[in-house]
Amino acid sequence: MPTTLATVCTQAAFCGTKWALIIAYKLPLLHNAGVHCCLLCSMATFIDTVQRFRKIEEATAQKDDPAPVYLLDEIADMARQSLEQAQAISDALLKKLQVKSPVVKFKALRVIKHLCVKGCSQFQRCMQRNSTAVRELIHFRGDPDPFKGDVPNARVREFSKEVVEVLFNSTPVTNTNNTLAAQGKIQGFGSGGPGEAARSSSGHYGGIGSSGSSSSNYGGGLGSSGFAAAQQA
């Protein structure tokens, strides 16, 4: 690949594929007959590879700070683009699971879980075929940390159990906020809520209703029928 094109590809990889193609299209180098389309496709593939590598490296960096959610979402978006992208991301994360550091292992597990929860079905199937690498971490025994002891290793063991469950969960997790909102309509203080159910099941709060026969079972209500029966007695 010519130096000029390689430079543009490397720089544009940090700006996005769209702008990279626009810049490269204007290069006189790409206007030669027979190489225009081929070079554009090659450059797009190269840029995707660089971006994927950079994002996964950042998400699994060996530092205690957790990877930001927006970065995990960007990796999930890439995994949805094609089967090739999903397979490449799966292979990269499997390599991270083989790293000795428990911090890197835990972060790789977190990325795997996030992508499965976000409904990246192709990625999930790729990971299911290699689930042994995740299952093995349930019994992970690493070197104790000088300051934290076995805590980082234990975190990997516990989180790997969650990831295994998510990997073989056929129902993607929906938006938690929407789920809570729907439950609020059922169990909230609106119509049909627990307050109204309590009133209907308890005979209008212990018998202060119109039927004395039903209210008398809840402490001798003072409804109209119950009051008349008390006068006759």
Side-chain angles (χ1 to χ4, degrees):
M1 183 180 291
T3 304
T4 305
L5 180 59
T7 303
V8 172
C9 289
T10 304
Q11 293 177 349
F14 295 91
C15 302
T17 305
K18 177 180 178 181
W19 287 107
L21 293 176
I22 293 175
I23 295 172
Y25 184 82
K26 294 182 179 181
L27 287 176
L29 173 66
L30 297 183
H31 287 278
N32 296 330
V35 299
H36 180 269
C37 182
C38 180
L39 287 177
L40 282 179
C41 294
S42 299
M43 190 180 70
T45 302
F46 174 79
I47 292 171
D48 286 340
T49 302
V50 173
Q51 287 185 329
R52 182 177 61 245
F53 174 82
R54 182 173 61 88
K55 292 179 187 298
I56 292 177
E57 285 295 315
E58 184 178 352
T60 59
Q62 189 170 348
K63 54 184 180 180
D64 291 334
D65 298 336
V69 176
Y70 77 84
L71 179 60
L72 303 182
D73 288 339
E74 290 177 358
I75 298 176
D77 291 338
M78 296 182 70
R80 295 192 196 96
Q81 291 178 5
S82 64
L83 176 59
E84 290 74 16
Q85 279 279 25
Q87 184 64 59
I89 293 174
S90 174
D91 293 341
L93 291 173
L94 286 172
K95 291 180 181 179
K96 292 297 181 180
L97 293 180
Q98 304 302 320
V99 176
K100 185 177 180 180
S101 169
V103 176
V104 176
K105 290 179 183 291
F106 176 77
K107 287 190 171 184
L109 289 171
R110 183 168 177 249
V111 176
I112 294 171
K113 180 180 179 181
H114 187 85
L115 268 59
C116 292
V117 169
K118 287 293 183 178
C120 302
S121 57
Q122 292 180 328
F123 170 83
Q124 187 170 354
R125 285 191 291 270
C126 292
M127 289 302 307
Q128 286 175 349
R129 292 192 292 268
N130 298 277
S131 61
T132 304
V134 181
R135 295 180 187 274
E136 290 176 348
L137 295 179
I138 296 177
H139 309 288
F140 173 68
R141 290 287 185 273
D143 297 332
D145 185 85
F147 302 101
K148 300 179 181 179
D150 194 55
V151 172
N153 302 324
R155 185 173 60 170
V156 171
R157 292 193 294 268
E158 293 301 321
F159 198 72
S160 60
K161 298 177 184 178
E162 298 182 20
V163 175
V164 170
E165 293 179 0
V166 172
L167 276 178
F168 294 94
N169 180 15
S170 58
T171 304
V173 179
T174 56
N175 192 320
T176 305
N177 294 331
N178 294 339
T179 303
L180 293 177
Q183 292 177 351
K185 293 181 180 180
I186 298 174
Q187 299 180 357
F189 292 98
S191 59
E196 185 172 338
R199 290 194 296 273
S200 60
S201 63
S202 61
H204 300 284
Y205 293 108
I208 309 178
S210 58
S211 175
S213 59
S214 61
S215 61
S216 59
N217 294 330
Y218 295 88
L222 299 179
S224 59
S225 299
F227 185 75
Q231 284 182 336
Q232 293 176 0

